[in-house]
Amino acid sequence: MTFTEKRLLYLRGAVAPHFFMSKLSSLIAALFLLARPLLADDVEIRWWKASHGATSADWEQLIGGFETEHPGVSVQVVHHAWANWDERYTSAFIGATPPDVSYMPDEFWVRYAASGHLARLDELFPEEIEAMEAEYPPNLWQLGRYGGHQYGIPYMFVGYLLCINQALFDDAGIAHPPDDPGDPHFADWTWARFMEVAKALTRDLDGDGATDQYGFVWTALEANPNSIYPFLWQAGADIIDVPNNTNGFAARGAAGLQFIRDLIDAGVIAGDGIFPAANELFLTPFYEGQAAMALFPSTSVIRIGEDFPDLNVRFVLPPQGPGTDFYDGRGTFGNAGFWVVAEASAHKREAFELVQFLNRRANMARMMDIFKLFGARNDWRPPTEEPLLQPFVPARRYLVPYPLHPKLRQTHSLLLAQIQNMVLGDVMPEEAIATAARQVDALLGTR
């Protein structure tokens, strides 16, 4: 038998099918390993978020849709309270076991980015990040950027607006302030007009010589500066000049403090601005219908309607101060919460895809309807059945983000202490600003 005959016999005989099937099976197995979706338990993403009123079940139900779309990827949902937030996250990141995806407010995440613990999403997913940027307001999107890199994707925002008691305005025959920039009287809503209105609504109703109704409730003794800094922003001052690593309020901040001092001296602020802030007690005159105006966060809108249904309130835009080149002189507090991805994550692609899933318009709207907050996307709109929420959308352009700096929270302490000294009458506005500026510059100049 020749070699050729033997070869034909080999190929035609029992050995040939076994040979080819073996090779074919190996090839199919190799292709399957390359192309198949990851099997269950191959990828587990750890997802953490502090509560905004939703439940773990709410999140698990939503995230279940992501798992359905991504066979082989499972998500461990950790939905926790805000208490001990710093300890929880610092321990996780330092211990090299951070969540793959976590929710962090703007002034929180920057510390982790500065220390190299968060992924630079613009480097990992440049095309996706470029496309996503157009879906968010610039002042919220920039809050996810630090050191020239995009670390965070905005999810929701909180803003402060002026809440008015419409009944008190109507009783005094005073026109309501505007709640939309298109209002024909919008340009007239200035610090000067605010002072006029506050004085007119500060009244001795029974003629006994004592004030029974105040034009404004506000305190410098709050634990956070969200309702204090608007006076600085409307004067044209910021908190930190990040590019120069110095304070941002020395040149123009005194005008903001002077306006606070003028309001106090005019007697229009209940408690003269030093009412104890514990448990929001300083807002009691407003809740009881004895004050006409107060600054409120969007997070309080639903609570006001539920806890004080007889209070006839409306949200309006902030008045314009002299710093018209900074947020048109109408800056008010606004912060955003972000999804971030851990640099230590072994599954950055899947983690980022989870972020994209959560920020789809429909998925975002679903959760905002549950906890009555504001979605960060341009195309998100509050439910029409919640009219008190509507003014926060046109006001979004005036929300001033805190400047992102690893020492921002320490800066708060130094600046607030001097503002409180001024409110108490211990120092004049100019001295308070100058002292705070020196202290902040010294802080920022240290490592």
Side-chain angles (χ1 to χ4, degrees), residues 115-366:
S115 58
H117 286 108
L118 299 184
R120 295 175 174 180
L121 301 179
D122 57 315
E123 291 185 345
L124 293 171
F125 314 108
E127 294 181 1
E128 292 93 330
I129 290 297
E130 183 178 0
M132 292 179 78
E133 181 174 358
E135 299 174 347
Y136 301 87
N139 57 336
L140 298 185
W141 182 261
Q142 76 176 43
L143 273 173
R145 196 166 184 82
Y146 176 73
H149 294 285
Q150 195 74 27
Y151 290 93
I153 304 300
Y155 182 58
M156 59 187 175
F157 73 90
V158 173
Y160 270 62
L161 288 184
L162 200 62
C163 187
I164 68 168
N165 184 320
Q166 297 185 100
L168 299 186
F169 272 76
D170 294 342
D171 288 345
I174 298 174
H176 299 176
D179 61 4
D180 189 281
D183 188 297
H185 301 291
F186 182 59
D188 300 328
W189 183 229
T190 63
W191 273 6
R193 179 58 181 160
F194 181 88
M195 176 68 84
E196 291 175 4
V197 170
K199 286 181 177 179
L201 290 168
T202 300
R203 307 169 69 183
D204 173 9
L205 299 175
D206 56 14
D208 66 353
T211 300
D212 305 300
Q213 176 182 298
Y214 289 89
F216 188 43
V217 289
W218 175 88
T219 184
L221 300 184
E222 281 197 86
N224 64 62
N226 301 343
S227 63
I228 299 172
Y229 286 168
F231 293 101
L232 296 177
W233 293 325
Q234 290 160 22
D238 204 352
I239 310 308
I240 297 177
D241 178 350
V242 174
N244 294 310
N245 201 42
T246 63
N247 81 85
F249 52 82
R252 306 172 77 174
L257 299 199
Q258 185 61 59
F259 186 61
I260 294 173
R261 184 74 259 165
D262 291 345
L263 291 170
I264 294 171
D265 292 343
V268 302
I269 301 180
D272 291 334
I274 55 174
F275 201 101
N279 301 317
E280 297 187 346
L281 288 176
F282 73 100
L283 290 169
T284 300
F286 186 84
Y287 290 137
E288 294 182 350
Q290 298 169 351
M293 297 183 287
L295 279 166
F296 272 96
S298 49
T299 50
S300 296
V301 172
I302 302 303
R303 187 179 66 200
I304 292 174
E306 292 177 348
D307 295 348
F308 303 94
D310 297 329
L311 202 59
N312 183 13
V313 300
R314 176 184 177 192
F315 284 87
V316 301
L317 297 176
Q320 186 177 57
T324 54
D325 57 343
F326 188 75
Y327 285 78
D328 295 340
R330 299 182 186 273
T332 187
F333 173 76
N335 87 322
F338 292 81
W339 300 121
V340 295
V341 175
E343 176 61 26
S345 172
H347 309 294
K348 294 185 181 69
R349 165 57 69 178
E350 291 85 357
F352 181 66
E353 289 176 353
L354 174 58
V355 170
Q356 291 178 301
F357 175 86
L358 293 171
N359 275 34
R360 290 179 189 172
R361 179 181 178 182
N363 292 340
M364 179 181 286
R366 173 178 174 178

